């Protein structure tokens, strides 16, 4: 139970708890229970390139659908590369319309722009 609460405070997870009666003493009223905890961690990591569903992008303040995951905590922090606008995606909103990362960090290539020339 403590592990599940720690996971919920650190990462966006979906948890299920169940309790099953194994044996009960009728004289004392005491019982033995089996507790089962199941946690599903979000399949998104920091620096992943995400393609958001249109409804999710609109709820985040009209971000473009192509965003970069800038930080993972108990919420997902996303960055729109076009407008440099940031937003926080709550785990509950993710589980309503789940999506996977389009590209992960090892698949991405970092570029440095040295010079920009404007045409008139």
């Amino acid at each position: 139970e403590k592990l599940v609460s720690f996971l919920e405070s650190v990462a966006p997870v979906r948890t299920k708890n169940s309790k099953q009666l194994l044996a009960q003493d009728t004289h004392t009223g005491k019982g033995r229970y089996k507790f089962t905890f199941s946690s599903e961690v979000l399949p998104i990591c920091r620096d992943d390139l995400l393609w958001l569903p249109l409804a999710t992008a609109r709820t985040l303040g009209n971000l473009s659908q192509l965003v970069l995951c800038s930080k993972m905590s108990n919420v997902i922090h996303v960055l729109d590369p076009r407008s440099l606008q940031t937003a926080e995606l709550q785990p509950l909103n993710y589980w309503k319309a789940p999506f996977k990362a389009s590209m992960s960090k090892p698949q991405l290539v970092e570029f440095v722009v040295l010079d920009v020339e404007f045409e008139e």
Side-chain angles (χ1 to χ4, degrees):
E1 193 172 341
K2 289 183 180 183
L3 177 65
V4 172
S5 63
F6 170 73
L7 284 175
E8 288 176 341
S9 68
V10 175
V13 294
R14 178 168 50 178
T15 60
K16 292 181 183 178
N17 304 330
S18 67
K19 178 172 128 177
Q20 183 180 12
L21 180 64
L22 294 178
Q24 184 175 9
D25 186 3
T26 56
H27 298 292
T28 61
K30 293 183 181 180
R32 289 184 35 217
Y33 291 94
K34 175 184 173 183
F35 295 94
T36 305
F37 301 98
S38 171
S39 294
E40 184 179 358
V41 180
L42 226 88
I44 296 173
C45 298
R46 187 174 152 257
D47 294 333
D48 281 354
L49 190 65
L50 309 173
W51 185 262
L52 300 176
L54 187 59
T56 305
R58 286 185 179 160
T59 59
L60 293 176
N62 286 329
L63 289 178
S64 66
Q65 287 183 279
L66 187 69
V67 294
L68 190 66
C69 178
S70 59
K71 181 182 175 187
M72 287 293 291
S73 59
N74 55 353
V75 295
I76 306 167
H77 299 268
V78 295
L79 171 70
D80 183 0
R82 290 185 188 176
S83 64
L84 297 179
Q85 183 181 1
T86 60
E88 292 181 354
L89 178 62
Q90 297 296 325
L92 184 62
N93 293 338
Y94 172 81
W95 293 117
K96 285 181 183 176
F99 53 89
K100 292 186 178 178
S102 299
M103 296 180 90
S104 60
K105 187 175 181 174
Q107 296 170 323
L108 299 174
V109 178
E110 185 175 340
F111 289 96
V112 177
V113 178
L114 297 176
D115 191 20
V116 177
E117 295 180 12
F118 293 104
E119 295 181 12
E120 293 183 23

